[in-house]
Amino acid sequence: MQPQAVIVSSSGTVSEQTLSSELGWTLKPEGLCREEVCVLVPDRARLVSDAGVDLETFAELMDRPVVVDPVAGLTAIGAPREQRRGALNDLHAPDFALPDLDGGVTALSDHRSKKRLLVAFSSW
Amino acid sequence: MQDELHAAGHLEFQVLAVAIDNNVEAIRGFAENITFPVLIDADHLLTELYAISNVPTVLLIDEDDRIAMPNWSAYGTDTFSEFTGVSADRQHDRIRRWVREGDAGISSEDARAAVGDLTPEEEAARLHFRLAVALQQRGDADGADRHFDQAAALAPQDWTIRRAMMPLRGEDPFGQGFLDIYQDWRANGSPYHGLMGY
């Protein structure tokens, strides 16, 4: 689960449907769920209101960094911090998928079972 | 190097290049005649996931997704060796040995200690950068400036923030602004999340 590109939301909230389609989590009676995993939601009223699911509360529950710009109506949500800590402390490479120059999407895991040299570079 | 190692029978070796950049045309220019995948990371997702603070940063990742060599300031040529004090040939030999023998030449203990985690400020700077890029695409230059400024204030020594925003703000990333950032970075002990001069 890589960091999220920016989410458009004028109120800092999203519908449960968007939460599911954009962020991959579904609100169920047992908590926030993704595949077999559910995260408990201790204070449900703080997470969900008539306006929808509060993104800052969601990010906090998931231990993901978040910055909300209410004026622009944009929210950026980072990756769960444990993914980066897993890379730094446990040397486990977190997966990611990004657009490639051939017009497709390439993931680190597309080349699993190979020895990979990953190089971050730029034009600047 | 990928071609050389493939020719030597090491077909299990794969280079993946990720451009921390949204200038797709410039990257396309770099990528001519290149046979490995080139990925475009306009939102700097990778710099958050791996705590990358400058380019080029290289990682060696083995068949089991284990990081054999964490964030490493390694170069394709000796163009910058006067600055870095490291010979690219020596770094390339290290990579070849890892591919052939599975030994990256660094202990697990040293690898685990090599990269400091992002500070909360550096983490937030990445999100402000992402918001600035999104606002720029919307044509909201003032909004973009606001978030670029916040990002720069939160992570003043991070090249993937400070220098990466220069072309996006119409500044020359090889001009005086770059030299100012470089001097400031040196004066602050040349911070880098990873191994430098290795």
Side-chain angles (χ1 to χ4, degrees):
Chain A
M1 195 193 330
Q2 64 193 30
Q4 214 75 26
V6 168
I7 299 159
V8 180
S9 158
S10 53
S11 56
T13 59
V14 291
S15 68
E16 289 187 35
Q17 199 182 350
T18 303
L19 185 78
S20 172
S21 62
E22 299 288 311
L23 290 145
W25 290 88
T26 307
L27 200 58
K28 290 185 178 171
E30 53 268 47
L32 281 164
C33 300
R34 183 190 178 94
E35 289 162 15
E36 303 300 301
V37 182
C38 289
V39 176
L40 292 177
V41 181
D43 185 355
R44 214 176 178 89
R46 225 183 114 220
L47 180 68
V48 202
S49 68
D50 291 344
V53 179
D54 183 66
L55 288 170
E56 274 191 287
T57 308
F58 167 77
E60 198 183 299
L61 280 167
M62 298 289 157
D63 195 22
R64 299 170 67 162
V66 61
V67 172
V68 180
D69 181 340
V71 178
L74 293 178
T75 300
I77 295 186
R81 294 183 177 93
E82 66 178 21
Q83 290 198 357
R84 184 177 61 250
R85 289 177 187 152
L88 305 187
N89 303 332
D90 305 330
L91 301 176
H92 178 79
D95 195 19
F96 57 87
L98 291 166
D100 60 42
L101 278 185
D102 296 331
V105 172
T106 296
L108 181 68
S109 53
D110 291 347
H111 298 278
R112 188 161 283 154
S113 73
K114 287 186 189 173
K115 282 197 170 95
R116 288 149 291 179
L117 184 155
L118 178 64
V119 55
F121 75 110
S122 73
S123 67
W124 41 266
Chain B
M1 187 180 298
Q2 177 168 297
D3 290 346
E4 170 205 313
L5 285 161
H6 283 184
H10 293 288
L11 293 172
E12 77 287 6
F13 179 61
Q14 179 67 50
V15 175
L16 294 171
V18 179
I20 311 299
D21 208 312
N22 73 350
N23 189 341
V24 176
E25 286 323 301
I27 297 305
R28 214 176 274 287
F30 281 124
E32 268 177 45
N33 307 317
I34 272 178
T35 54
F36 45 79
V38 177
L39 285 60
I40 303 291
D41 186 8
D43 286 312
H44 295 202
L45 305 181
L46 207 66
T47 71
E48 185 197 340
L49 266 184
Y50 285 84
I52 291 168
S53 60
N54 200 359
V55 294
T57 287
V58 169
L59 290 100
L60 303 179
I61 299 171
D62 76 11
E63 300 88 332
D64 301 317
D65 289 335
R66 187 178 173 279
I67 298 172
M69 176 69 85
N71 296 4
W72 178 29
S73 177
Y75 288 80
T77 65
D78 273 324
T79 314
F80 301 102
S81 59
E82 216 174 299
F83 275 104
T84 60
V86 181
S87 135
D89 281 346
R90 266 189 50 198
Q91 296 187 319
H92 298 176
D93 284 344
R94 202 187 268 271
I95 296 165
R96 289 188 188 96
R97 204 172 101 185
W98 173 65
V99 173
R100 290 196 206 106
E101 301 164 26
D103 177 11
I106 182 168
S107 71
S108 290
E109 199 185 0
D110 286 349
R112 267 185 257 274
V115 189
D117 196 6
L118 298 180
T119 64
E121 290 79 14
E122 289 170 325
E123 201 176 55
R126 282 155 174 72
L127 302 189
H128 282 289
F129 192 99
R130 229 165 271 163
L131 289 170
V133 169
L135 286 166
Q136 200 163 50
Q137 277 165 1
R138 272 187 179 183
D140 181 352
D142 290 345
D145 273 342
R146 206 170 63 236
H147 285 289
F148 278 136
D149 286 344
Q150 286 187 68
L154 286 163
Q157 314 302 337
D158 191 318
W159 294 95
T160 68
I161 302 288
R162 290 296 297 283
R163 197 178 189 192
M165 74 173 64
M166 295 178 77
L168 299 173
R169 308 181 89 178
E171 294 165 24
D172 177 6
F174 300 91
Q176 185 59 43
F178 158 65
L179 293 174
D180 293 345
I181 297 172
Y182 179 72
Q183 277 169 6
D184 188 45
W185 176 75
R186 286 289 299 264
N188 280 280
S190 311
Y192 175 67
H193 286 271
L195 297 159
M196 254 196 324
Y198 195 75

